[in-house]
Structure formats: structure tokens, C-alpha cells
Amino acid sequence: MISRSGELSAVDRIDTSVAHPARRYNYLLGGKDNFAADRESGDALAAAMPTIRLAAVENRMFLQRAVRFLARQGVRQFLDIGTGIPTADNTHEVAQAVIPSARVVYVDNDPIVLAHARALLSSTSEGRTAYLDADLREPEKILAHPDLDATLDLSEPVALMLVAILHFIRDDEDPRGILARLVAALPTGSYVVASHVTWEYLPPAVTAKLEANNDNGQFRARNTEQFADLLDGLELVEPGIVSVARWHTDDLPQPRPSVQDVSFNGVVARVVR
């Protein structure tokens, strides 16, 4: 179905024959909102890196810890780009458990996520949530969206969530520029929460197998230095860029998974002027 604006409806945009990152991630997390192409792609990655499901779980736990950490610092607004398909303890649920009046705007470009937006939009009576059908590559569209303006006050601190999404932005798509534009719209005292796949800890043979699954070239793993370059101008919160399995985990069961098994770096950074 074509909308009045000439765009395909969410249902008509779903291509079940091609794996999509959000649906593949859902599969790796043990979800059911995925198709054969997503499962085939996920299984191929698991064949190359058998601990990839553990990595997905640890990355999700990092998001939850980071949201809880910032909410306890008094941050009550969250802009979550690359939301993914809803699962347990979404950003608004974690934030509103600490601050019931917290406000969250979700952004994703997967029509399956749009179909689940109603679940994302549930909220405490004091808080508020909204969902934008948009792409990280179009920061101006996100910032100019009326639902963002109606939900968040960009004169007050906002936590910009970029969890497991920057590695889908190629270098020629200017990830640093995209992030800089979003950060420029946020006031001092805001934060960026980001995680990024890294292959720096993996043996060359494993990296080669993972690269073989990146035949369309859309995926871009980055090491710690390259990840830090994207965050230039931000003030890193202790402990800086570390494995998501190592970020603020003192109260979690020990020992934690190895950096090799997880291969995700995470960071919380402060916006300063």
C-alpha cells in the first residue's frame, strides 16, 4: 500500500527474503520476531563466532546498566536510535523504574519494529514515549520530527543511545559527522551511550570468517582507537571505552565473560562545550 506521501507502508516495506540487523539481533537474543533469512544469517555468524549469542546478551545488558546509571544521575530524557525489536527491559522500562517521569523517543528504520511500536509506546502515567520511523543516516529528519519536539526538551540533558548501530554505518557514510550533528543539538550535561563491535581481540582466522559474512560491505567493525575517533570532543565517563562485559559490573556475578567472547566495546560519554 502507498501512503499519501508516496511512501510504501510499513507492511509493504518488509522484505522477509533479506536478513535485517534488527531481526537477526532478535534471533540471536532468542526472540521470535524474525524470518528464515534472519536465522540463516545469524547461524552463519554463530558458525564463525560461536559466542555471538553471548555477545548479543552482554550488549543488551550493557544498555540496561547504562540507562539505569544515567537515570540515577538524574537524566530523565533518552533518544534511543536503532531501537530494535522490543524485548524485556527496554530503555523506557529501565529509565522509568528509576524516574517514573522519564521520557523516551525511540528511532528505527525497520518496519517490523514499527509494527511493534505499540509495545514500545507503553509508559508510566507520569512519563512519555514516542517512536520515530527514521534512519540514523538522516539526523536532520530525526531532529526535526514533530514527535521528538513534543516528547523531549532539547534545552535539558538528553541521553543519546547508539547501542549496536554505529557499526552499520560505513566510513563513507560519515558516522563521525552524523554523531557530531546529533550531539550538536544536545545541551551540555547530555550523554552519549554507544556500543560497537570490535574484532581487535579475535584471531585472524575468526575475523576472516566474519568478514566473509559481510559480502555487502555494510558492516564495519572498528577497534578501540577507531571507536574513540567517532566520539571526538566528548568526555568519557570512567572507565572509558571497555568491553561491554566489563562496564560497571562490580555487582554482577564473577568472573565476567572474556573480551574475546564478547567482542563489543561500550562507552558512556558526557557532552561538554
Side-chain angles (χ1 to χ4, degrees), residues 174-210:
D174 192 20
R176 183 173 174 178
I178 291 170
L179 180 53
R181 176 63 191 97
L182 290 167
V183 169
L186 306 180
T188 297
S190 294
Y191 290 84
V192 173
V193 177
S195 67
H196 202 298
V197 166
T198 178
W199 291 340
E200 62 193 301
Y201 310 118
L202 298 177
V206 174
T207 300
K209 291 178 181 178
L210 290 168

Side-chain angles (χ1 to χ4, degrees), residues 112-136:
I112 288 286
V113 179
L114 178 61
H116 284 274
R118 189 168 299 169
L120 286 172
L121 295 177
S122 64
S123 174
T124 61
S125 57
E126 305 97 321
R128 186 168 180 178
T129 60
Y131 174 82
L132 312 186
D133 183 17
D135 193 302
L136 175 59

